[in-house]
Amino acid sequence: MYLRVWLCLALLGLAACAGDGTRDVREGRARMVTTTDTLRPPDTTGSSGAYEGVSEYRLGARDVIEIEVYQMAELTRKVRVNSKGMISLPLLGPIKAVGKTPSELEDEITRLLADDFLQDPQVTVFVAEYTSQQITVEGAVNAPGIYPLNGKTSLLQAIVRAGGVSERANPRGIIIFRVIDGERMAAVFDLREIRGGNAEDPQVYGDDLIVIDESGSKSAWRTLLGAMPVLGMFRVF
């Protein structure tokens, strides 16, 4: 009981000094899990665009795709998936694209054209802009910012895309925030353990927030991270 109260007070203290970028997360509205637990994929996996397991990318709203139909220039075009997950093509009208892989969308367009319009159509679909899947990387990296996911991406790969960790980074303080089942959750990872092959290099998903803590007195997460080896596992607080 007293431990939970202490932890809540510590988190509120962190929230008071935090920047606007993750203020809502640092105000205690996240469940912490350790790397011994599995940080499951977010709620959007498989429905609004995500890399699911080892499968292909699944299209999401706002993605831009290029569709080519061999020897049919009037059907070859670049289209954006709208907010309802649909695209519109000449002859075929509205087609649901969200949640499909490019190859699945190819198959559907091919089938629709073959049913009524063309004999043996040859259709190619590829993603021009991965707008629906973005991650935010902030903290002690050389190029913090928002980055699109253009393929299945691990935590280490995401950090590399953000220019790598800076000299200020705390390698034991790599935090992923994610919404799972409507609840904001977080897990802490040790960069040295991942690089050494002693810990999983977790996959990251669209809308993930990755925070790289700063070492020493500049750490905004020192109280929380310092308590983790003692508490071992965080629950709802």
Side-chain angles (χ1 to χ4, degrees), residues 136-149:
T136 301
V137 186
E138 68 167 45
V141 288
N142 292 310
I146 299 174
Y147 294 91
L149 293 178

Side-chain angles (χ1 to χ4, degrees), residues 180-197:
I180 301 173
D181 297 331
E183 182 180 19
R184 186 173 290 276
M185 301 183 72
V188 177
F189 298 87
D190 188 327
L191 195 59
R192 297 171 302 180
E193 292 295 310
I194 295 174
R195 285 173 171 169

Side-chain angles (χ1 to χ4, degrees), residues 6-84:
W6 173 85
L7 184 55
C8 289
L9 291 174
L11 286 167
L12 289 173
L14 288 175
C17 64
D20 294 336
T22 56
R23 181 178 177 183
D24 61 328
V25 178
R26 296 177 187 173
E27 285 178 347
R29 292 196 292 270
R31 178 196 294 189
M32 298 297 296
V33 298
T34 66
T35 53
T36 58
D37 294 326
T38 299
L39 188 61
R40 303 199 316 273
D43 301 337
T44 56
T45 299
S47 58
S48 65
Y51 292 93
E52 191 172 9
V54 296
S55 67
E56 295 182 70
Y57 179 76
R58 295 187 178 275
L59 297 166
R62 304 185 307 278
D63 281 342
V64 176
I65 56 178
E66 291 193 16
I67 301 169
E68 295 183 359
V69 181
Y70 181 65
Q71 293 186 339
M72 292 290 292
E74 61 272 24
L75 296 179
T76 297
R77 61 190 54 224
K78 182 183 291 188
V79 295
R80 184 180 297 275
V81 182
N82 66 24
S83 60
K84 295 182 179 180

Side-chain angles (χ1 to χ4, degrees), residues 77-138:
R77 61 190 54 224
K78 182 183 291 188
V79 295
R80 184 180 297 275
V81 182
N82 66 24
S83 60
K84 295 182 179 180
M86 309 293 290
I87 60 172
S88 183
L89 296 177
L91 302 180
L92 303 181
I95 300 173
K96 183 178 179 181
V98 71
K100 293 185 173 69
T101 66
S103 60
E104 288 171 347
L105 185 58
E106 280 182 8
D107 291 343
E108 181 168 0
I109 294 173
T110 299
R111 178 182 59 79
L112 292 172
L113 288 173
D115 284 347
D116 296 308
F117 302 103
L118 296 175
Q119 184 177 2
D120 192 25
Q122 299 179 42
V123 180
T124 302
V125 174
F126 64 94
V127 184
E129 297 179 22
Y130 296 84
T131 312
S132 71
Q133 293 295 295
Q134 296 179 325
I135 57 172
T136 301
V137 186
E138 68 167 45

Side-chain angles (χ1 to χ4, degrees), residues 188-211:
V188 177
F189 298 87
D190 188 327
L191 195 59
R192 297 171 302 180
E193 292 295 310
I194 295 174
R195 285 173 171 169
N198 300 316
E200 174 193 9
D201 184 10
Q203 182 177 341
V204 297
Y205 294 87
D207 296 329
D208 276 357
L209 169 61
I210 302 169
V211 177

